[in-house]
Amino acid sequence: MLFDRHSREWIILIVALLLATSGCAPVRRPPSFALRHVAPLAGIPQGNAALPQPAWWKRYNDPQLDRLMDLATQHSPDLQQAEARYEAAERAVDAQHAQLNPQVRGLLDSTHAYSKVGIHAQPSGAPGPLQNLDISPKHSWSNSGLAAALLTWDLDLWGKQKDAIAQAAGEANAMRADQAMAANSLHYGVAKAYFDWQSMQTRVQLARASTAAASQFLSLEQVRVKAGLDDPQQLDRADAQLADQRRSQAMLEGQSALNLAQLAAVIGVSERELGELKAQPWPHIDADIPPDASLALLARRPDIVANRWEIEASIQGIDEARAAYYPDVSLMGLGAFLRLYPNLGSGTHANIALGSIGPSFSLPIFSGGRLKAQVEINQAQLDTAVASYNHTVVQAAHDVAEQVLTLQQIQAVQVQTDQQLADVGRQNDRADRRRQRGLDDDRTWLGLQLQLNQVRDSQLQIADQLMSTHLALIYALGGGYRDTSLPSLPSTSSQASR
């Protein structure tokens, strides 16, 4: 295409103006921030345990628990809300992508018009009646039709729209991590409520056995007191002992019903929809943590991953705000056809066709500080995301260390309780042998039986605490979540200076 000298001068002027304006834009540089890349675990000894797998609860080999997890995934409102937020973020990425594509807008317009023209004039200098001149009004009907198409294509020379896409993608990935965090919380809640109910079922059975032993003890005392062999005060003590066992049994049965209701609430269904549940053997628990737990937390816990993606989105937001200083360059094309019928019935009409295509430039000359404020807003959002990330990393390490120390403490108490149970068990066996030989009556054996059940109940409570802490450790390690697509963030040493 050939340009005359005048056209070339205008093109040179426009290019020079663009270059001068672009020189006023701020230099693009990595924002300055510091991240915690290591999560210290306060010197906690580490074992050879592996990180939880995605479906970590399957390690317990409990089909009943597997069914409840599937039920919870289908009915959890928290999980449904998190999934909806993620889908909305994904659609936002698609919307930003669409901004890079050319757009064509069509216009169809048709009008039917009526006009009436009347002229009244007063010629200057005319004598008498000639001073007023009236022309009879005329009227006409007209039609017009317009068809047009407008092409616009943002060329995104400075990458502003690409930065907007990257920012939206970062937000979408953060929402995906939030979805995983909701699933992690749900799985932890279901497992904890389920094992609490399992533990309570065993304790209820033990309480019922203790109530039966106390009732038998009371019956023996009634016979001996009636025969005059024992003081009536012995009967009062046996009666009080039975009442205490019945009270404990009632409390445990009530707690068992409450645990079942809590399990149904966590899953999001009614108790009837839980189906028939049966007590299962207690799984093995260990207190080991993976040797790389401190580093694995950075990609394991969904809340840490969400913070990382928030940082990435904030960085892209800063780049987008900086690119706003540069001119917007678009390609625009117009094609239109206009047909006019100025006076219907006269047979006269006119056709007009036109078309144009060329670049369009839009540049900020004076924004009143808006562009600078937007950059500073995005920088503040980045600072907030970095602070939240560092806090989450430290809190994650604290959560893991706390659960490991608690596990070790409970295991130490469990050793002593097991020893106590063995001692009382041996006494109970000796009393049983003496009872069978007729050396002692049944009261001594029943008393030791009640004591043995009491220690067993303490052992069950410790096992329940051990399981709860074990589940809390799995939750603190991020469950089975792991994100392999985390962006590499700039380190402090590699950042450009201000």
Side-chain angles (χ1 to χ4, degrees):
M1 181 180 291
L2 297 178
F3 298 95
D4 57 18
R5 186 175 63 85
H6 185 69
S7 299
R8 289 197 297 270
E9 290 176 352
W10 274 105
I11 292 175
I12 293 173
L13 179 61
I14 291 174
V15 172
L17 181 60
L18 290 176
L19 292 175
T21 308
S22 300
C24 299
V27 178
R28 294 165 67 97
R29 58 165 180 77
S32 177
F33 58 88
L35 291 178
R36 285 184 175 268
H37 295 289
V38 178
L41 296 180
I44 299 300
Q46 298 170 337
N48 296 321
L51 285 166
Q53 298 301 314
W56 52 265
W57 58 88
K58 292 185 178 294
R59 63 188 295 183
Y60 304 125
N61 297 319
D62 190 341
Q64 193 168 242
L65 177 59
D66 297 342
R67 179 177 61 84
L68 293 177
M69 287 294 186
D70 293 339
L71 194 63
T73 303
Q74 298 172 9
H75 293 86
S76 172
D78 292 339
L79 207 57
Q80 293 170 357
Q81 290 177 5
E83 183 176 358
R85 289 193 296 268
Y86 173 60
E87 289 296 329
E90 281 286 289
R91 301 292 78 77
V93 175
D94 295 339
Q96 293 294 346
H97 265 292
Q99 297 297 322
L100 288 175
N101 300 327
Q103 301 181 50
V104 178
R105 300 180 62 184
L107 172 64
L108 291 175
D109 182 60
S110 177
T111 59
H112 180 65
Y114 169 76
S115 62
K116 181 178 181 180
V117 180
I119 301 176
H120 177 75
Q122 293 181 339
S124 59
L130 295 179
Q131 290 181 351
N132 294 326
L133 177 63
D134 291 323
I135 299 177
S136 299
K138 294 183 178 181
H139 64 86
S140 65
W141 296 88
S142 64
N143 282 349
S144 65
L146 174 66
L150 176 65
L151 165 70
T152 59
W153 187 7
D154 186 354
L155 300 181
D156 194 32
L157 296 183
W158 319 112
K160 180 173 66 173
Q161 191 56 41
K162 293 182 179 65
D163 290 332
I165 294 173
Q167 182 182 17
E171 294 290 348
N173 285 322
M175 289 298 101
R176 184 181 63 183
D178 284 340
Q179 184 181 9
M181 186 160 53
N184 190 27
S185 299
L186 175 65
H187 297 153
Y188 165 70
V190 172
K192 186 177 185 308
Y194 174 74
F195 284 112
D196 283 346
W197 178 83
Q198 290 276 20
S199 174
M200 195 56 60
Q201 290 300 106
T202 307
R203 293 186 64 193
V204 167
Q205 296 298 325
L206 193 61
R208 290 172 180 170
S210 296
T211 300
S215 178
Q216 187 177 357
F217 190 96
L218 176 62
S219 299
L220 291 175
E221 282 294 348
Q222 287 174 340
V223 172
R224 292 183 63 85
V225 169
K226 186 175 181 179
L229 298 176
D230 283 342
D231 189 278
Q233 291 184 355
Q234 298 289 338
L235 183 61
D236 294 337
R237 284 192 286 269
D239 193 25
Q241 179 178 253
L242 177 60
D244 185 63
Q245 291 297 330
R246 286 174 174 171
R247 178 183 61 83
S248 298
Q249 177 182 336
M251 290 180 60
L252 292 176
E253 288 175 344
Q255 185 62 45
S256 177
L258 180 60
N259 286 346
L260 190 63
Q262 289 175 342
L263 178 60
V266 170
I267 295 176
V269 297
S270 64
E271 294 184 31
R272 181 180 57 84
E273 294 176 279
L274 291 177
E276 183 181 2
L277 299 179
K278 297 181 179 179
Q280 303 294 328
W282 207 251
H284 172 71
I285 299 172
D286 62 72
D288 293 337
I289 61 173
D292 62 339
S294 58
L295 294 177
L297 281 174
L298 301 179
R300 170 63 57 180
R301 282 179 56 125
D303 51 349
I304 295 179
V305 172
N307 287 142
R308 279 284 295 272
W309 280 113
E310 289 291 348
I311 292 174
E312 175 68 11
S314 299
I315 293 174
Q316 300 300 331
I318 291 176
D319 290 341
E320 180 188 2
R322 291 179 186 278
Y325 280 85
Y326 293 87
D328 288 332
V329 182
S330 302
L331 184 65
M332 298 190 66
L334 175 64
F337 178 79
L338 176 64
R339 169 166 287 189
L340 297 175
Y341 292 89
N343 191 358
L344 291 178
S346 65
T348 303
H349 70 275
N351 295 332
I352 302 175
L354 58 91
S356 66
I357 188 170
S360 173
F361 303 93
S362 173
L363 62 157
I365 297 176
F366 177 72
S367 63
R370 294 176 179 84
L371 298 181
K372 180 181 178 182
Q374 188 60 48
V375 173
E376 292 176 348
I377 288 173
N378 283 275
Q379 181 65 54
Q381 291 175 348
L382 174 62
D383 294 340
T384 302
V386 170
S388 178
Y389 172 85
N390 290 334
H391 171 77
T392 304
V393 169
V394 173
Q395 185 62 46
H398 174 268
D399 292 343
V400 172
E402 180 181 14
Q403 301 309 325
V404 171
L405 291 174
T406 303
L407 276 174
Q408 293 174 348
Q409 180 184 8
I410 295 175
Q411 286 176 329
V413 176
Q414 188 180 40
V415 171
Q416 300 302 320
T417 305
D418 291 344
Q419 183 61 45
Q420 182 182 6
L421 181 65
D423 294 340
V424 178
R426 286 191 293 270
Q427 296 178 28
N428 183 76
D429 292 340
R430 287 194 295 268
D432 186 38
R433 290 193 295 269
R434 291 178 61 84
R435 176 177 66 92
Q436 292 178 0
R437 294 173 184 176
L439 301 177
D440 287 333
D441 58 35
D442 290 348
R443 291 177 306 162
T444 302
W445 176 78
L446 288 172
L448 287 172
Q449 191 71 28
L450 290 172
Q451 185 178 353
L452 182 63
N453 288 345
Q454 185 177 4
V455 178
R456 286 173 177 167
D457 185 71
S458 298
Q459 189 182 46
L460 288 173
Q461 294 182 57
I462 293 174
D464 183 53
Q465 294 175 12
L466 197 64
M467 173 57 77
S468 297
T469 309
H470 170 71
L471 295 174
L473 175 59
I474 292 177
Y475 178 72
L477 288 171
Y481 182 78
R482 176 179 287 276
D483 194 322
T484 58
S485 60
L486 281 172
S488 57
L489 300 179
S491 61
T492 307
S493 60
S494 64
Q495 293 172 21
S497 62
R498 294 180 182 274

